Amino acid sequence: MKVLTAKQAWDVLANEAGSVLVDVRTPVEWAEIGLPDSAALPRPVVCLTWQPGLEQIFLEGLLDAVPDQNNRVLFLCRSGMRSHNAALLAEHAGYADVTNIVDGFEDKHGPGTGWRAGGLPFTHIPLSGS
């Protein structure tokens, strides 16, 4: 598994054809905290929640969303922990090129770290039924 900061991941997503961003947080987090803005990227963001105990459901969703296991898949969560576990699971399932975004969407490791704090484009999505 590779690791990148959010800013490094942005460069990969903007410049590497076939790279895919998978945000593994929850719908509440996407709505309240934000979601990488797929309008600013050449391809959509895959929103697929990873939770302990639901690994098989996550893998089924990942295979549906990213059927080509040779694509570079970058995983994002709030702080880099859930995305680490999701990346390990994907790698174990046969994905050849997985990357964990170590500073997450809004990590607190220092000034300017994480997707949001680094000034990368993001948006909010409404919760279903809102």
Side-chain angles (χ1 to χ4, degrees), residues 17-130:
S19 60
V20 179
L21 177 61
V22 179
D23 189 322
V24 303
R25 296 173 299 140
T26 66
V28 170
E29 288 174 296
W30 300 323
E32 293 180 0
I33 299 165
L35 179 72
D37 188 355
S38 62
L41 292 168
R43 65 204 54 82
V45 175
V46 174
C47 296
L48 187 61
T49 301
W50 179 91
Q51 293 178 328
L54 300 176
E55 291 87 356
Q56 188 59 41
I57 293 169
F58 175 82
L59 276 178
E60 290 168 6
L62 184 61
L63 285 165
D64 284 344
V66 188
D68 185 348
Q69 292 186 337
N70 291 311
N71 282 0
R72 185 166 187 185
V73 185
L74 296 90
F75 293 92
L76 175 72
C77 70
R78 192 166 181 173
S79 67
M81 295 304 296
R82 285 175 285 176
S83 55
H84 172 82
N85 291 322
L88 285 175
L89 185 62
E91 191 173 56
H92 181 72
Y95 283 85
D97 192 354
V98 299
T99 301
N100 179 33
I101 301 173
V102 294
D103 53 356
F105 190 76
E106 61 168 354
D107 195 36
K108 308 292 190 260
H109 289 337
T113 66
W115 194 279
R116 236 171 92 162
L120 298 172
F122 72 96
T123 187
H124 290 87
I125 61 168
L127 288 171
S128 297
S130 296

